[in-house]
């Protein structure tokens, strides 16, 4: 009985730590369809367009290493961690993980 209780307690703690590790950020995955000075628009997996604002504090990563903002281009696959800005009611990017650039299939 004690072992089951201890195992349950450990599992609950691991789940709680796992949830906290991701913080309160909203995660978006998709392909960049437009990049402007202050925003990026992506098409998510469901085909929906999502606009996220970019700021001075936005971090850009490629292969888990810092990357220049200029690497954010149309066609690039991205994972964006963003927070809802309560004033503007828009998502603000905290971190953008850059992936590969999609290319048109060869005929």
């Amino acid at each position: 009985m004690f072992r089951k209780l201890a195992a349950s307690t450990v599992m609950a703690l691991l789940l709680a730590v796992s949830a906290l590790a991701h913080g309160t950020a909203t995660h978006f995955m998709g392909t960049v369809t437009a990049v402007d000075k202050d925003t990026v628009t992506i098409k998510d997996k469901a085909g929906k367009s999502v606009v996220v604002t970019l700021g001075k504090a936005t971090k850009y990563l490629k292969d888990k290493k810092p990357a220049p903002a200029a690497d954010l281009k149309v066609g690039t696959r991205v994972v964006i961690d963003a927070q809802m800005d309560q004033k503007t009611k828009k998502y603000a990017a905290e971190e953008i993980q850059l992936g590969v650039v999609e290319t048109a299939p060869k005929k």
Side-chain angles (χ1 to χ4, degrees):
M1 173 90 171
F2 178 74
R3 284 186 177 178
K4 287 183 181 181
L5 179 62
S8 296
T9 303
V10 169
M11 287 301 293
L13 286 173
L14 288 174
L15 288 173
V17 169
S18 164
L20 290 174
H22 284 95
T24 58
T26 300
H27 307 287
F28 298 103
M29 291 193 308
T31 303
V32 176
T33 57
V35 180
D36 294 317
K37 183 179 127 188
D38 298 327
T39 63
V40 61
T41 305
I42 68 166
K43 185 175 186 179
D44 68 11
K45 288 183 173 184
K48 180 180 170 187
S49 285
V50 179
V51 178
V52 180
T53 60
L54 305 172
K56 292 178 183 176
T58 302
K59 295 178 188 175
Y60 300 86
L61 302 172
K62 188 167 191 169
D63 298 324
K64 299 182 182 180
K65 297 176 185 170
D71 285 357
L72 184 64
K73 300 176 183 173
V74 172
T76 304
R77 290 179 149 184
V78 294
V79 176
I80 301 175
D81 293 341
Q83 293 284 342
M84 175 62 78
D85 184 325
Q86 295 303 319
K87 290 181 184 177
T88 64
K89 299 298 182 196
K90 295 181 182 178
Y91 285 103
E94 294 179 336
E95 181 179 283
I96 300 177
Q97 297 176 42
L98 305 165
V100 297
V101 176
E102 290 185 351
T103 57
K106 294 182 181 180
K107 294 182 180 182

